[in-house]
Amino acid sequence: MLRDDETLVGEIPGTASKDRVTQLFRNRSFVGDAAVALVLIGVFAFGRSFEANTLLLVNLMVYMILAQGINVSYGFTGYLPFGFVGFFGAGAYGMAVSTSKFHVGAYPGLVAGVVVSVVVALILSPLLRLRGSYFAIASLAAAEALVLLVSNPSAQGITNGAYGANLSSVFNPGASYVSTVVALGLVTAAVVWLKHSPFGLALRAIKADRSSAAMSGINVVRVRTFAWVISAAMAGLGGACYAWVISVFYPGDVFSLTTSVFAIIFALFGGIGTVVGPIVGTVVLYGIYNAIGITVPQYFQLIYGLLIVVIVLFVPRGLASLGASVFGRMSR
Amino acid sequence: MLLEFALIGGVLTGMYYGFLAVGLNLVFGVLRFVNLAHGSVVVLGSYLTWELSNTWHLNPLLAGLIAFPPSLVLGAVIFYAVTPRLSRSADPEMLSLILFFGIAQAIEAITTIVFTSNRRALPGSTLGASSVSILGQRYPFYWVLGAAIAVPVFGAIYIYLYRTRLGLATRAVMSSPDDAASVGIDVKRVSAICLGVGLFLAASAGSLSIFIRGGTDPAQGIAVTTFAFTVIVIGGLGNPISSIAGGVVLGCAYNLAQAYAPSWSGVIPYGLLLAVMLIRPSGLFGSQVRVA
Amino acid sequence: MIPQEQSSTAVAAGPASTAVRLLEVRSVSVMFGTFMALDDVSVNLDGGRALGLVGPNGSGKTTLINVVTGLVAAKRGKVLFDREDVSGRAPHRLAHLGINRTFQIPKPFTGLTVRQNVEVAARYGKGRRSVEEILALTRLDRVGSRSSEELTAAEQKKLDLARALSTAPRLLCVDELGAGLSVSELDEVALMLRDVSERWGIALLVVEHLMGFLERVTEDVVVLNAGQVIFEGSLVDALRQPNVIQVFLGG
């Protein structure tokens, strides 16, 4: 009945060369992202020679790490965790408890911080069954429950409860700074990998539609749990580094909802689903915060509150999308 | 009698918690998003109450009434300003959540700028009596007052939903905006009104919240929203009347924890929220599961 | 035409020597709350053959496909694929076994290009088929670098088909592929289906309202009504059955 196979089979002229162009194009974007990561590491590696305020540099790096964590969870997988700071705090306490109670060294302590946050992520992974705002608020509740657990008098023997943590036994400004730079490098590299790997494509497929993703052979539960764990590990690593740098802290310092909020805003403002977005978002907004927010936080809060409204309504895909469209128009 | 005190206190405060949360549930039912600015509006209502009482020496509960016109206006302004763009976006539900989070931050900042970030509290005696005796035990007067106000509030919401034309339209929009529109209901107008009424319910709950929560400060907003969300998740999302049942369950659980394990009582709202969401997402009293 | 004896089991089953039983749906029932979506439904399909699933709206056609592809769990009954019980398996595992589908309303992976859409399925579906071949076959090669949400409705349907094909299915369930297409697009898609089925020996389970589309793809149908099989046999015979006619015209 239908015998026009000839038009459907056979070599399609131009396919091979088109494929090569695609490959090249993809490489160019990959090269760009990798360059961003390298420049970033370079800037912070030598940062202390042109910026005396080390804590500012550390805060920038930590927020970049957290914003990238949000990027992995929301930008790639579609889950927006309002309680993301829970993993940050878990990492900070993993570091603090392992070094001060179990007397391990600083580097095993960093690993312990990551492990603790990963364990918390696995315990919370049933939350991934929830969708949209349910998930967002449930994760917030989980983070709030976690801080109450850590600061509870019953936990005082381990976490020192409300009296906070002290890491003075491993205090080392130089090594903790370098570790934070390395952590930022690892996190950025992971996002570059996600953006350019089939795994990253699978995540974005799940974000777009779960049923179609499953019918494409993707193990939706396993893939999204893995992404959730990666995202939590990033926050845990950031928390552990931060704890090492500041050395003394209280539960409220590392479980502050403001930290989650900042990370989310920075990521959204810069543009999720990209490598450069969360970095740019952090530099711009944390820069503004550093200039005016610390002295008059309420005005900064008003600005970013209104900024969220403007982003959502007018640039839901962030600065990076604006940049891309301007760049696209120029190069045409 | 610790148990009796905890349970009676739980029912009294729980009815108020229902009132605190019902506006959030109404907005969720009609507009299908979680109004993260709910708690910030509650806090704003508390500050208004404090000002009325301290500066103008008026009855603090008056704040709950005079908030009505500005709430309706605010609801309409927000609704007509943001929803046309939101509904055209790729992910309206998440973006609404984030947007209202931004509005919450802005309200919180304005509250701080106008009233400073100092914690404000009012003594229970501002309301007249300070305690009431029930079955031989004394309870704070504002607990009883909270319950006494919650009953007519829920009565009014019931009458509105089931005995008025606007309420019928509201329920139609709740069950299906498309079907409601197809029978000639002005979905936008109903939604704008419900957002305003939701904000008003939040603000008026704030005038009691300053007593029941033992004071207020601008940073409380998000905790109040989470608490209210717990109440409506337990009661059943999208069913405003069931909020009172959710409030009573949470009130009793919280008071029992206060009585027997006070250091863990803070975990109760969050723990209960997680448990209900994972085990029975339709709520303890809801029948239908709505996946938002 | 040779009068056919109405069989109670297989319809699209050729002589045993040439075809192998690929899919066997055995007495499957599905409940949604108190609503019986499928009531003791049995359907058989041999490798490389095509079978139409017809019936009025709400008769359970899509539910049956959902059960076969693992998106809905059956309350009773079994699904056998290649003589292996696959009931209750996760969709991605069924995709790996060679069961795939298109969706009534295609949901392409937005934010990904057309080519990336196919790449994801080719990689994770373990189909080992060339992405370029699939794109050329479904005539999407010219829009390969476009974002999938920019496609027309017809192109999105083809993309859904391309995604399914790149997992190298042995059974492809097609859910109202023709709905909303123009006459020429319908012709093109029907031809495409027929072609891939013959070339790769893919068995087809086709839900379709449009008889014109159906008759180009298959001669055999199962008619469902209110969750039950009311007829199985050839499409031509189906349209002569009083109860089938009543369901379509009177229902």
Side-chain angles (χ1 to χ4, degrees):
Chain A
M1 176 181 170
L2 302 158
R3 284 290 102 186
D4 52 353
D5 283 10
E6 294 306 306
T7 59
L8 292 174
V9 206
E11 261 292 85
I12 307 299
T15 319
S17 65
K18 210 180 274 176
D19 194 37
R20 233 171 280 142
V21 174
T22 321
Q23 214 67 36
L24 201 71
F25 176 77
R26 204 180 298 138
N27 281 348
R28 201 171 68 183
S29 132
F30 173 76
V31 167
D33 285 339
V36 166
L38 286 176
V39 168
L40 187 70
I41 300 318
V43 166
F44 282 104
F46 299 102
R48 280 182 301 175
S49 48
F50 53 81
E51 172 59 61
N53 186 350
T54 307
L55 196 59
L56 170 66
L57 294 174
V58 168
N59 278 332
L60 272 174
M61 287 191 285
V62 165
Y63 272 119
M64 282 177 188
I65 290 172
L66 289 175
Q68 294 291 19
I70 292 286
N71 192 17
V72 171
S73 182
Y74 184 52
F76 285 90
T77 327
Y79 288 95
L80 181 61
F82 272 133
F84 195 55
V85 69
F87 300 128
F88 180 77
Y93 266 93
M95 173 78 182
V97 171
S98 61
T99 54
S100 61
K101 295 285 172 207
F102 300 103
H103 308 291
V104 306
Y107 297 109
L110 292 178
V111 174
V114 173
V115 168
V116 170
S117 57
V118 165
V119 169
V120 173
L122 288 173
I123 293 170
L124 293 179
S125 63
L127 291 183
L128 295 170
R129 271 188 281 157
L130 304 170
R131 293 181 188 210
S133 39
Y134 288 66
F135 174 82
I137 296 170
S139 80
L140 176 65
E144 293 293 322
L146 192 61
V147 63
L148 290 171
L149 221 67
V150 166
S151 57
N152 198 280
S154 324
Q156 204 170 314
I158 305 164
T159 63
N160 208 23
Y163 302 105
N166 190 327
L167 291 80
S168 52
S169 62
V170 291
F171 184 65
N172 185 341
S176 59
Y177 183 87
V178 173
S179 298
T180 312
V181 176
V182 172
L184 178 63
L186 288 174
V187 165
T188 314
V191 176
V192 173
W193 169 72
L194 269 185
K195 194 177 159 213
H196 297 280
S197 68
F199 183 75
L201 276 187
L203 287 181
R204 288 155 70 193
I206 293 174
K207 183 186 179 186
D209 189 79
R210 284 180 206 187
S211 304
S212 289
M215 288 320 305
S216 300
I218 299 170
N219 184 341
V220 173
V221 172
R222 199 165 69 187
V223 165
R224 77 183 179 200
T225 306
F226 188 47
W228 174 238
V229 164
I230 292 176
S231 160
M234 288 177 173
L237 183 59
C241 289
Y242 182 74
W244 195 13
V245 171
I246 63 164
S247 198
V248 174
F249 60 87
Y250 295 94
D253 299 334
V254 293
F255 283 103
S256 161
L257 180 61
T258 313
T259 309
S260 278
V261 172
F262 275 21
I264 292 170
I265 305 309
F266 296 169
L268 285 176
F269 179 69
I272 51 169
T274 67
V275 174
V276 74
I279 298 169
V280 172
T282 306
V283 169
V284 173
L285 290 185
Y286 195 79
I288 297 174
Y289 173 73
N290 195 54
I292 65 161
I294 295 168
T295 46
V296 279
Q298 63 271 33
Y299 287 97
F300 181 72
Q301 191 181 29
L302 181 60
I303 290 172
Y304 81 65
L306 296 176
L307 195 64
I308 295 169
V309 173
V310 171
I311 296 170
V312 167
L313 290 180
F314 300 102
V315 258
R317 288 192 294 147
L319 282 187
S321 69
L322 280 184
S325 68
V326 170
F327 182 77
R329 238 169 273 154
M330 280 182 349
S331 64
R332 224 170 263 168
Chain B
M1 283 305 288
L2 203 53
L3 179 66
E4 194 187 286
F5 181 81
L7 288 178
I8 292 179
V11 172
L12 291 174
T13 52
M15 286 162 82
Y16 166 73
Y17 294 154
F19 172 26
L20 178 77
V22 67
L24 187 66
N25 212 350
L26 182 69
V27 172
F28 184 87
V30 173
L31 290 108
R32 306 279 160 92
F33 64 75
V34 181
N35 173 15
L36 283 182
H38 186 83
S40 310
V41 175
V42 172
V43 170
L44 200 57
S46 292
Y47 272 93
L48 189 65
T49 306
W50 190 87
E51 283 294 320
L52 274 184
S53 176
N54 260 27
T55 314
W56 305 90
H57 304 290
L58 294 169
N59 186 327
L61 298 185
L62 214 58
L65 294 176
I66 63 174
F68 190 61
S71 300
L72 273 192
V73 172
L74 186 64
V77 167
I78 293 176
F79 180 82
Y80 286 106
V82 305
T83 46
R85 286 197 78 91
L86 272 185
S87 52
R88 270 184 277 128
S89 67
D91 186 3
E93 193 215 338
M94 277 325 281
L95 288 178
S96 311
L97 190 79
I98 298 167
L99 182 112
F100 273 80
F101 182 74
I103 293 174
Q105 294 299 317
I107 293 176
E108 198 176 308
I110 291 167
T111 310
T112 312
I113 291 165
V114 176
F115 300 106
T116 78
S117 59
N118 295 331
R119 190 173 173 81
R120 300 281 165 87
L122 286 172
S125 57
T126 321
L127 292 167
S130 60
S131 67
V132 174
S133 177
I134 300 170
L135 297 172
Q137 294 196 77
R138 301 199 72 80
Y139 298 87
F141 175 64
Y142 48 79
W143 284 13
V144 180
L145 188 65
I149 291 177
V151 171
V153 165
F154 275 91
I157 293 169
Y158 182 85
I159 290 168
Y160 160 70
L161 283 176
Y162 294 94
R163 295 283 182 272
T164 67
R165 284 184 65 86
L166 187 60
L168 182 67
T170 305
R171 284 186 292 130
V173 176
M174 279 177 166
S175 73
S176 164
D178 292 340
D179 291 350
S182 72
V183 296
I185 292 170
D186 187 345
V187 175
K188 284 186 177 166
R189 190 171 141 265
V190 169
S191 304
I193 290 172
C194 283
L195 183 56
V197 170
L199 295 177
F200 163 65
L201 287 167
S204 57
S207 66
L208 279 165
S209 154
I210 192 168
F211 298 102
I212 291 174
R213 293 183 68 94
T216 192
D217 64 79
Q220 261 185 358
I222 197 75
V224 174
T225 303
T226 317
F227 191 87
F229 190 71
T230 305
V231 170
I232 67 174
V233 165
I234 296 172
L237 279 163
N239 178 0
I241 301 297
S242 72
S243 304
I244 195 162
V248 168
V249 170
L250 181 55
C252 289
Y254 187 76
N255 277 25
L256 284 172
Q258 278 278 4
Y260 295 102
S263 73
W264 293 104
S265 61
V267 186
I268 290 292
Y270 305 116
L272 214 50
L273 176 64
L274 293 173
V276 173
M277 274 194 167
L278 291 175
I279 297 161
R280 202 178 145 81
S282 59
L284 298 184
F285 306 99
S287 51
Q288 83 210 58
V289 181
R290 177 178 283 163
V291 179
Chain C
M1 172 156 291
I2 307 153
Q4 263 186 329
E5 207 178 84
Q6 193 172 324
S7 126
S8 61
T9 54
V11 186
S17 54
T18 59
V20 181
R21 178 64 44 80
L22 185 67
L23 174 73
E24 199 175 335
V25 175
R26 257 193 222 160
S27 312
V28 159
S29 298
V30 172
M31 301 278 290
F32 295 130
T34 54
F35 174 69
M36 196 112 191
L38 286 179
D39 184 5
D40 197 26
V41 168
S42 298
V43 170
N44 295 322
L45 180 58
D46 282 353
R49 304 280 305 219
L51 175 64
L53 265 182
V54 294
N57 283 327
S59 57
K61 303 172 306 245
T62 297
T63 305
L64 181 58
I65 286 190
N66 285 343
V67 169
V68 170
T69 54
L71 295 180
V72 163
K75 188 167 174 265
R76 276 190 301 273
K78 275 184 189 173
V79 177
L80 277 76
F81 185 71
D82 237 1
R83 300 182 193 283
E84 188 185 349
D85 186 355
V86 296
S87 328
R89 282 211 199 160
H92 68 272
R93 293 185 62 198
L94 297 175
H96 292 160
L97 278 179
I99 301 180
N100 224 295
R101 67 174 294 169
T102 67
F103 291 89
Q104 198 173 350
I105 300 161
K107 291 167 198 139
F109 304 132
T110 49
L112 269 61
T113 65
V114 170
R115 182 171 283 105
Q116 284 175 325
N117 265 267
V118 178
E119 269 171 11
V120 143
R123 170 136 192 152
Y124 280 85
K126 300 179 178 168
R128 297 176 197 284
R129 286 230 172 100
S130 142
V131 171
E132 295 308 324
E133 184 187 5
I134 300 282
L135 284 175
L137 195 71
T138 49
R139 300 203 172 120
L140 289 168
D141 42 346
R142 255 167 287 164
V143 292
S145 52
R146 237 190 272 159
S147 185
S148 57
E149 61 263 38
E150 293 168 19
L151 298 184
T152 64
E155 284 169 334
Q156 290 197 351
K157 292 213 159 196
K158 287 188 212 162
L159 178 55
D160 204 24
L161 181 62
R163 180 194 53 68
L165 288 176
S166 57
T167 65
R170 281 183 291 158
L171 168 66
L172 180 63
C173 304
V174 182
D175 197 355
E176 298 205 21
L177 198 59
L181 297 187
S182 71
V183 179
S184 64
E185 288 164 345
L186 260 174
D187 276 346
E188 188 190 357
V189 170
L191 190 143
M192 226 176 248
L193 264 186
R194 198 65 208 226
D195 176 69
V196 294
S197 169
E198 280 171 18
R199 167 131 34 117
W200 286 323
I202 301 173
L204 298 173
L205 191 58
V206 185
V207 167
E208 193 52 74
H209 274 300
L210 304 164
M211 291 301 157
F213 182 90
L214 201 60
E215 69 185 4
R216 278 167 222 227
V217 183
T218 177
E219 286 136 32
D220 303 312
V221 294
V222 163
V223 183
L224 284 171
N225 185 39
Q228 290 178 318
V229 176
I230 58 165
F231 175 84
E232 30 192 339
S234 77
L235 183 58
V236 183
D237 285 348
L239 297 174
R240 286 192 200 128
Q241 293 283 322
N243 60 341
V244 172
I245 293 165
Q246 202 210 334
V247 158
F248 277 91
L249 300 178

